[in-house]
Amino acid sequence: MSLVTLDFAEELKEYCGDNAFECFNCGTCAAICPLVHDNFPRRMIRYIQVGARQKILENSDELWRCLHCGLCTQTCPREADPGEIILGLKRFVVANWRKS
Amino acid sequence: MFNPRDIIEILAANVRQTKSPFGIPKFMANTWHKDLCLPKEGEYLLFTGLMYQFAPYIEKSTQYLEKYEDTKIAGYLKYTRLLPGYFSGIGLAMMTKPKEKKKAAKPLKDIAYLLQKSKVNFGYRPDLDNYSGILLYDMGDQQGFIAHAKKVARQLQDAGIKKIITIDPHTAYAFKELYPKYTGFGFDVKQYFELLNFEPKDCGLEVTLHDPCFFGRYQKLSDVPREQLSNMGISVTNIRNQGEFTSCCGGPAESISPRLSNEIMEKRAKELQASGKPIVAYCPICLGNLKKSGADVQDLSTLLAKHA
């Protein structure tokens, strides 16, 4: 079972703004990503949208597979800037490690 | 894959203690300029950001990381952050062959030569030339990056520096986009190849150009090296993934997962090798990573200096 954190989007604003809500889950980012790995980065963005804070923390290692190459941002039809969202999630996770 | 937290905390501790992500003292890493007698003052300050200088040490440390990725020993990596930064840095410097360090100095010397030949009014101050902190930013250590960047920017500001020449895409991005946003200090930033000015030539060569993500996509500067090469009569083969749609060389993943980095690098090297032409890179990370694939690759500065 996964818990949903209702104010997760608010908490994330400090780290990556609120661009994740521009995303309509078309999957272009996952298709173009050189990692070709388990719906990355789309799945992480979906987690933000539904408030799955714990899921992101549990799967946080995946974020560092991202090469920050920017292809997802370049091709996103909604200009949601997935590359920056992933970078913002890294900031969020690092801040959480250091708080704990 | 290594535990990202272990890697980030090691890099952050090294930058805090030594201003270098690898803990290598600057006097050991930054020696390329010693026999060049470069002027100290000029309209621009040449700011290398030490990325080319770090390349042989990155290669050496990656060789060790490759050996221990996903082994039991990887779990002990976190304890290395308990060592003083300079201790591990000096160790890494001693393990790196002088031949490799000399090779890494070549693009830097070529860039200085190209700028001088183009009559660019620049100076070089090794005391002001520091690592930008970009790896901390890319890894998500925002706090560590800002603290380091403020120190670097303030030192430049105190020395009255307003215009700088960068030589790699990551330092250029840091100074153009991140420093104004996070440190409050802004500089007029030019990449070295934007300032070159030579008589047209006809070398009759053809090369394949690998655009780094941070020039091709983030800064949209991939036309400039093409113009410089074209001016020398060097044509650039068109490949599928280039310019704004260039493919990553895999370099950014090498500290977290050398295996993943190699997979991405092999794919890109194949694309670049398909034309059979010599490959030219213009980022120290891409250059080092593509060389690992065994590809015939050289730095843009080396090619330009040879024919200028």
Side-chain angles (χ1 to χ4, degrees):
Chain A
M1 189 178 75
S2 281
L3 290 178
V4 165
T5 308
L6 294 177
D7 56 358
F8 184 43
E10 201 53 40
E11 184 186 0
L12 265 190
K13 268 188 189 168
E14 182 190 343
Y15 304 100
C16 52
D18 53 8
N19 266 10
F21 292 91
E22 295 299 323
C23 168
F24 57 15
N25 275 277
C26 69
T28 306
C29 55
I32 195 113
C33 177
L35 297 177
V36 201
H37 177 72
D38 202 12
N39 257 307
F40 186 88
R42 178 194 190 191
R43 191 160 53 89
M44 288 290 175
I45 296 168
R46 190 71 185 140
Y47 285 156
I48 298 174
Q49 291 176 332
V50 299
R53 183 183 191 275
Q54 201 50 39
K55 277 276 183 195
I56 289 174
L57 290 172
E58 279 165 14
N59 296 285
S60 64
D61 282 7
E62 267 185 44
L63 297 167
W64 279 274
R65 291 168 61 92
C66 170
L67 302 154
H68 201 200
C69 75
L71 263 177
C72 52
T73 292
Q74 178 80 19
T75 53
C76 176
R78 296 280 294 169
E79 297 181 0
D81 206 348
E84 280 305 305
I85 294 173
I86 296 300
L87 188 55
L89 285 179
K90 287 182 189 174
R91 290 180 206 129
F92 161 73
V93 173
V94 170
N96 258 271
W97 286 339
R98 288 181 177 167
K99 267 186 227 158
S100 62
Chain B
M1 187 175 184
F2 287 93
N3 182 339
R5 188 175 186 176
D6 294 344
I7 301 283
I8 292 164
E9 297 303 1
I10 292 167
L11 295 173
N14 281 344
V15 170
R16 258 195 324 270
Q17 293 169 23
T18 70
K19 291 187 179 172
S20 151
F22 310 102
I24 300 161
K26 194 160 76 171
F27 76 88
M28 289 180 95
N30 194 32
T31 55
W32 69 277
H33 56 90
K34 289 200 168 156
D35 51 352
L36 291 186
C37 299
L38 295 171
K40 284 195 178 299
E41 305 292 330
E43 184 190 351
Y44 288 94
L45 177 79
L46 175 61
F47 188 93
T48 74
L50 309 185
M51 295 286 279
Y52 274 94
Q53 292 89 320
F54 287 150
Y57 308 108
I58 294 174
E59 194 186 333
K60 182 48 82 182
S61 56
T62 309
Q63 282 169 8
Y64 283 97
L65 289 172
E66 260 172 10
K67 231 195 250 181
Y68 300 119
E69 184 174 5
D70 296 327
T71 66
K72 275 187 187 168
I73 293 172
Y76 295 103
L77 188 70
K78 60 183 167 216
Y79 299 113
T80 60
R81 76 166 182 260
L82 303 174
L83 296 170
Y86 280 126
F87 185 80
S88 48
I90 291 171
L92 180 61
M94 308 275 271
M95 286 190 292
T96 307
K97 286 182 187 159
K99 198 176 90 183
E100 297 305 319
K101 295 178 201 169
K102 207 175 159 190
K103 259 198 253 169
K106 173 125 179 66
L108 293 148
K109 290 183 176 191
D110 287 337
I111 288 166
Y113 165 76
L114 290 166
L115 290 169
Q116 283 179 324
K117 187 139 195 208
S118 299
K119 300 197 172 30
V120 177
N121 180 5
F122 76 97
Y124 182 64
R125 295 260 312 261
D127 57 320
L128 296 180
D129 195 3
N130 285 301
Y131 175 60
S132 69
I134 190 69
L135 192 53
L136 296 184
Y137 179 81
D138 288 343
M139 292 284 197
D141 182 5
Q142 183 90 334
Q143 220 183 354
F145 167 72
I146 295 174
H148 177 76
K150 278 185 176 167
K151 282 184 214 161
V152 174
R154 187 172 296 282
Q155 203 188 358
L156 290 170
Q157 195 79 8
D158 290 348
I161 304 299
K162 293 190 168 53
K163 295 169 137 188
I164 63 167
I165 300 172
T166 52
I167 65 168
D168 76 86
H170 300 278
T171 307
Y173 180 75
F175 272 86
K176 278 184 191 169
E177 302 290 331
L178 306 178
Y179 272 48
K181 191 170 164 188
Y182 295 111
T183 71
F185 297 114
F187 300 92
D188 178 358
V189 185
K190 285 272 183 277
Q191 185 62 19
Y192 81 90
F193 50 69
E194 292 180 279
L195 297 167
L196 303 183
N197 185 18
F198 304 119
E199 289 294 311
K201 285 199 174 168
D202 188 10
C203 298
L205 292 174
E206 189 176 347
V207 297
T208 300
L209 194 59
H210 165 72
D211 298 302
C213 301
F214 274 79
F215 274 146
R217 207 158 18 253
Y218 283 81
Q219 295 172 67
K220 313 221 181 305
L221 272 178
S222 52
D223 287 344
V224 187
R226 282 171 174 76
E227 283 159 17
Q228 292 291 354
L229 290 168
S230 164
N231 185 47
M232 288 192 176
I234 302 173
S235 61
V236 176
T237 319
N238 274 322
I239 55 170
R240 185 176 179 268
N241 299 316
Q242 61 180 9
E244 286 182 37
F245 290 93
T246 187
S247 285
C248 181
C249 71
E254 62 194 351
S255 60
I256 296 285
S257 174
R259 187 173 300 135
L260 171 68
S261 171
N262 285 342
E263 279 170 26
I264 308 274
M265 172 263 284
E266 294 289 349
K267 255 194 253 175
R268 181 56 170 166
K270 256 188 207 163
E271 279 179 2
L272 295 166
Q273 284 169 314
S275 68
K277 304 292 174 200
I279 300 164
V280 176
Y282 49 117
C283 161
I285 306 294
C286 301
L287 181 71
N289 219 38
L290 291 169
K291 271 186 181 169
K292 276 200 292 183
S293 73
D296 172 17
V297 52
Q298 61 183 313
D299 193 74
L300 175 72
S301 60
T302 307
L303 180 66
L304 291 174
K306 197 171 162 191
H307 298 286

